[in-house]
Amino acid sequence: MTQLIELQKRFMAYLTEGQGSINNLVLDDDKLGADTRLGIYRNAYRLRLREAIDNDHEILGLYLGDDLFEEMVAGYTQQHPSHYRSLRQFANQLPTYLATTEPFKNHPIIAEIAAFERLLLDVFDAPEVPRSTLTELQQLAPEQWPNMQLRLHPSVQLFNARWNSVESWQQLRAEQAPEPATEQPDSLWLMWRSIERLSEFRSCEPLEWNSLQLALRGGNFADLCEQAATVMPEQQVGEVMAGQLQEWLSIGIVSQIVIGV
Amino acid sequence: MDRQFLGFGLGLRTNHFQHVLDHQPDIDWFEVISENFMIGGGKPKYYLHQVRERYPMVMHGVSLSLGSTDPLDMDYLRRLKTLAAEVQPRWLSDHLCWTSQGGVNSHDLLPMPYTEEAIEHMAARIRQVQDFLGQQILVENVSSYLSYRDSVMEEWEFLQAVADRADCLILLDINNIYVSARNHGFDPDLYLQGIDPKRVQQFHLAGHSDYGDYVIDTHDHDVPDAVWHLYGKALQRFGAVSTMIERDDNIPSFEELYAELQQAKTIAQQQLPAQDLITNHGAALA
């Protein structure tokens, strides 16, 4: 009798690699042979993983076309058996796979589109927490402003594209043919889930990008202003940064205003 | 009988969240897939709490991998316990199967060999889970497409032995019994007769895809006549058992599922005396 652990090892090897000495563990009968019976499980395994990628990467699929999409699915599932409990995480390594594997790595925009779509998933299911409001800010005494730290909403993601990947994603989403891939370094995007629980994104200027990065690292408002003063006249800093903060509050990306000492 | 009878429920699916909140349909209870809500928050969690405020709920897991030879995933169990503390479900369930080995997840409900070793292994793990959660759980029979040469008993004998040795309850999926009966050529009546009614706490009803030589459990079709027929026999054998329609794919409108659930109620009313169909909310079925 085969030990349970040995049986499970052989079954899993068969599912993930399509090979191994499993057939002699399974009964043949008049209705169906062992190969057919095992094949039902192997097909289901492949289809389930394919469907997970397809669900998560609808626009990437359109960009690649059917043949390349199938090549990607076959290669990725072979190289990355799922170590996750949920299929939601199964394609987490897809951007890295595309950035490092022929023929996809020859077109870096493909990995970028995949990375953008995975961030959209993170935006969608990030934890929900209360959001700070403009009223909260208005209740602060002016002397408290420099020391305030902004905790950003957990759904906030920053995406730095080197190619016209987001624009191509938008064009395909609108059922238009995408423009040819073009390198455009430092195309910066802010992504978040709105107060109405819709996934949003918009482009971001370097000043705002750097402010968001600093806020994520725990910098207070004085730090943000100091950083801004390196790229604009000092007398404009207060007004520009206050305006930026108000906009962040209005779109719901600040979850907490913490007054430090 | 002291079993909890919740009445007739549905699996709560993402595309019905808003409908349920807007219309508050006359459903006795909902079953949720535990894994769908074991995240920090976001939209699904919001709807879960909203629906829970209005309806009794049970939690159904798909990845506990009770039959696996990998160690039990204690991190998963901790998160399951936390979710259960939030949701306060009437009970929790998972499957009589294994899903992962060597850290690799098949994302499928794979069959066990029906051996003494497997009974002992599975029962010990269920006891461990029940000790950790502080409550009995339900284990559900899965559809299967193959039999192992090493098996020395029938599936129902295995299920009953595991339930007895672990002292757990049983969730009988009527469709899965039908699918496995077709695929392996056994009599589904023997399955029903082989299960002790005292252990059965819940029924699942679902549909499948019929390929002639074999049947695939897709849970993406209406409940077919053959499964309704078997459901009638199950009611005769087990009495009033909390029943739900489990639709996992190709999800129809809420109204369609609701209509299908009414059919389950009608069959129950034909098979059982009215006083048996009083739910533990005290409501008799109209």
Side-chain angles (χ1 to χ4, degrees), chain B:
Chain B
M1 191 177 293
D2 58 0
R3 139 200 323 147
Q4 285 191 62
F5 176 57
L6 297 181
F8 295 82
L10 285 175
L12 182 64
R13 300 295 178 255
T14 315
N15 33 354
H16 296 149
F17 282 160
Q18 198 60 50
H19 179 96
V20 171
L21 291 186
D22 290 346
H23 298 88
Q24 303 201 22
D26 176 26
I27 300 283
D28 294 330
W29 55 283
F30 281 102
E31 180 187 86
V32 296
I33 303 293
S34 310
E35 284 80 357
N36 290 352
F37 303 97
M38 292 166 77
I39 49 174
K43 278 171 130 171
K45 222 38 181 309
Y46 165 80
Y47 283 108
L48 174 72
H49 288 296
Q50 291 290 314
V51 176
R52 177 65 187 96
E53 280 179 19
R54 295 161 175 81
Y55 295 92
M57 235 174 222
V58 306
M59 283 168 48
H60 185 51
V62 295
S63 62
L64 191 46
S65 202
L66 283 167
S68 172
T69 46
D70 279 353
L72 271 175
D73 184 341
M74 295 312 291
D75 177 54
Y76 170 82
L77 273 177
R78 273 189 286 274
R79 288 189 294 135
L80 184 66
K81 193 172 183 176
T82 302
L83 183 66
E86 277 178 44
V87 173
Q88 295 287 313
R90 296 304 176 95
W91 57 74
L92 300 106
S93 60
D94 208 294
H95 296 85
L96 187 79
C97 72
W98 61 287
T99 61
S100 54
Q101 207 289 321
V104 177
N105 202 321
S106 69
H107 301 284
D108 200 354
L109 306 172
L110 303 172
M112 298 293 288
Y114 307 134
T115 62
E116 178 59 31
E117 181 201 12
I119 292 171
E120 195 45 52
H121 177 74
M122 200 151 201
R125 284 163 68 95
I126 294 171
R127 286 195 301 271
Q128 197 183 340
V129 169
Q130 293 183 144
D131 285 348
F132 183 82
L133 296 175
Q135 58 183 293
Q136 269 185 314
I137 63 167
L138 282 60
V139 291
E140 179 185 3
N141 58 304
V142 299
S143 293
S144 67
Y145 313 104
L146 59 77
S147 303
Y148 300 104
R149 289 182 187 278
D150 285 347
S151 289
V152 294
M153 65 191 86
E154 300 290 351
E155 180 187 330
W156 54 91
E157 295 170 319
F158 179 77
L159 171 59
Q160 185 64 47
V162 168
D164 286 342
R165 221 171 288 183
D167 191 20
C168 68
L169 298 168
I170 292 174
L171 192 176
L172 268 190
D173 188 310
I174 306 297
N175 173 63
N176 291 353
I177 293 177
Y178 176 82
V179 168
S180 294
R182 282 276 306 275
N183 289 336
H184 302 299
F186 64 72
D187 178 355
D189 289 354
L190 291 178
Y191 202 121
L192 299 181
Q193 295 307 317
I195 299 296
D196 179 354
K198 288 200 293 294
R199 295 265 174 214
V200 178
Q201 178 87 337
Q202 185 186 339
F203 287 154
H204 273 171
L205 294 169
H208 52 255
S209 299
D210 195 329
Y211 294 92
D213 285 344
Y214 57 92
V215 186
I216 302 278
D217 163 28
T218 43
H219 276 53
D220 65 350
H221 283 70
D222 293 347
V223 178
D225 287 345
V227 174
W228 285 127
H229 181 67
L230 194 57
Y231 174 54
K233 290 184 170 182
L235 288 166
Q236 288 168 12
R237 164 83 179 145
F238 302 106
V241 172
S242 304
T243 296
M244 63 158 273
I245 310 272
E246 186 186 44
R247 188 71 169 248
D248 294 333
D249 218 339
N250 189 25
I251 312 266
S253 70
F254 191 88
E255 288 84 354
E256 275 181 63
L257 280 180
Y258 183 83
E260 207 175 19
L261 192 61
Q262 301 317 302
Q263 193 169 345
K265 278 189 190 181
T266 303
I267 293 172
Q269 285 163 339
Q270 289 162 354
Q271 298 291 340
L272 300 172
Q275 68 267 23
D276 287 4
L277 293 171
I278 296 173
T279 68
N280 66 345
H281 318 298
L285 293 173

Side-chain angles (χ1 to χ4, degrees), chain A residues 1-2 4 8-9 11-12 24-27 31 37 40-41 48 82-85 87 126 128 197, chain B residues 42-43 63 67 69 73 76 98 101 103-105 107-108 117 145 147-150 182-183 213 216:
Chain A
M1 183 174 288
T2 313
L4 185 58
Q8 292 185 347
K9 278 183 180 172
F11 201 137
M12 193 59 85
N24 58 346
L25 298 182
V26 174
L27 274 178
K31 267 170 75 80
R37 291 179 179 278
I40 293 171
Y41 285 97
R48 199 169 287 114
S82 174
H83 286 85
Y84 300 101
R85 188 171 291 281
L87 282 169
E128 187 53 71
R197 297 190 167 79
Chain B
K43 278 171 130 171
S63 62
T69 46
D73 184 341
Y76 170 82
W98 61 287
Q101 207 289 321
V104 177
N105 202 321
H107 301 284
D108 200 354
E117 181 201 12
Y145 313 104
S147 303
Y148 300 104
R149 289 182 187 278
D150 285 347
R182 282 276 306 275
N183 289 336
D213 285 344
I216 302 278

